[in-house]
């Protein structure tokens, strides 16, 4: 009985896909078989979908001067914490405690989406996203990505565009 309920819940969508549908935004869902032993969720997603890693973005939660902040950066690089702090008018940034990030967003690590979060957090989208017609971000669970225009992602998350990714 529990397996059946879980399958129905998954087919009903995630908070991210529900938010995209409610907003009337064009998006495509990409599902793949997640390998729990893979060392990088983002690189796994890019490889599984056959998409360049510079078009697949990871969602990271950082603590900027005591406030949780979301950074969306290409999986091919890393987050520049100093640039993130500067982008939101802060002084210092550090990666947030994973358990706190999960509780606050409502998603599990490796499946945190910038969309449909339990608590809306300030969001910074790496400026490199605008070089692409579409980018992929987590749809809210491991093994599920959404592809959408970066302008739509920025609008729905009220994101600041800034160069916060490092290659």
């Amino acid at each position: 009985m529990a397996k059946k309920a879980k399958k129905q819940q998954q087919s009903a969508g995630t908070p991210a896909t529900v938010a995209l549908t409610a907003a009337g935004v064009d998006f495509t869902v990409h599902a793949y078989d997640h390998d729990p032993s893979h060392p990088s969720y983002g690189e796994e997603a890019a490889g599984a979908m056959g998409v360049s890693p510079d078009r697949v973005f990871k969602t990271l939660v950082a603590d900027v001067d005591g406030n949780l902040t979301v950074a969306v950066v290409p999986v091919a690089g890393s987050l520049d914490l100093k640039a993130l702090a500067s982008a939101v008018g802060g002084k210092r940034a550090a990666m947030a405690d994973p358990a706190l990030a999960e509780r606050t967003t409502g998603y599990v690590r490796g499946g945190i989406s910038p969309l449909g979060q339990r608590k809306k957090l300030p969001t910074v989208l790496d400026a490199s996203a605008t070089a692409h017609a579409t980018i992929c971000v987590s749809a809210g669970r491991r093994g599920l990505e959404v592809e959408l225009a970066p302008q739509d992602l920025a609008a729905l998350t009220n994101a600041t565009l800034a160069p916060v990714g490092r290659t």
Side-chain angles (χ1 to χ4, degrees):
M1 184 79 168
K3 283 187 177 182
K4 186 175 183 182
K6 185 176 180 183
K7 186 172 184 174
Q8 287 174 343
Q9 182 183 24
Q10 287 177 351
S11 65
T14 66
T17 59
V18 169
L20 287 165
T21 301
V25 170
D26 287 335
F27 67 97
T28 303
V29 175
H30 299 277
Y32 61 92
D33 290 327
H34 167 63
D35 175 4
S37 68
H38 200 286
S40 167
Y41 297 117
E43 289 176 11
E44 177 192 24
M49 294 185 304
V51 175
S52 172
D54 65 336
R55 281 191 48 231
V56 178
F57 283 63
K58 56 189 168 187
T59 305
L60 303 171
V61 181
D63 179 317
V64 179
D65 297 337
N67 298 308
L68 291 183
T69 303
V70 172
V72 184
V73 298
V75 301
S78 60
L79 172 60
D80 182 336
L81 288 166
K82 194 172 198 174
L84 176 65
S86 177
V88 295
K91 293 183 181 193
R92 297 188 57 165
M95 294 306 298
D97 173 67
L100 178 60
E102 289 179 344
R103 278 194 313 273
T104 304
T105 64
Y107 294 116
V108 297
R109 196 173 68 147
I112 295 178
S113 177
L115 300 156
Q117 295 179 357
R118 182 177 290 149
K119 179 180 179 189
K120 192 168 175 102
L121 299 172
T123 301
V124 179
L125 175 60
D126 186 66
S128 69
T130 61
H132 308 286
T134 61
I135 61 171
C136 297
V137 296
S138 176
R141 71 171 196 251
R142 296 172 188 154
L144 196 66
E145 296 277 314
V146 290
E147 181 177 353
L148 73 165
Q151 296 81 358
D152 289 337
L153 177 62
L156 288 172
T157 59
N158 199 26
T160 299
L161 287 170
V164 294
R166 273 192 291 208
T167 52

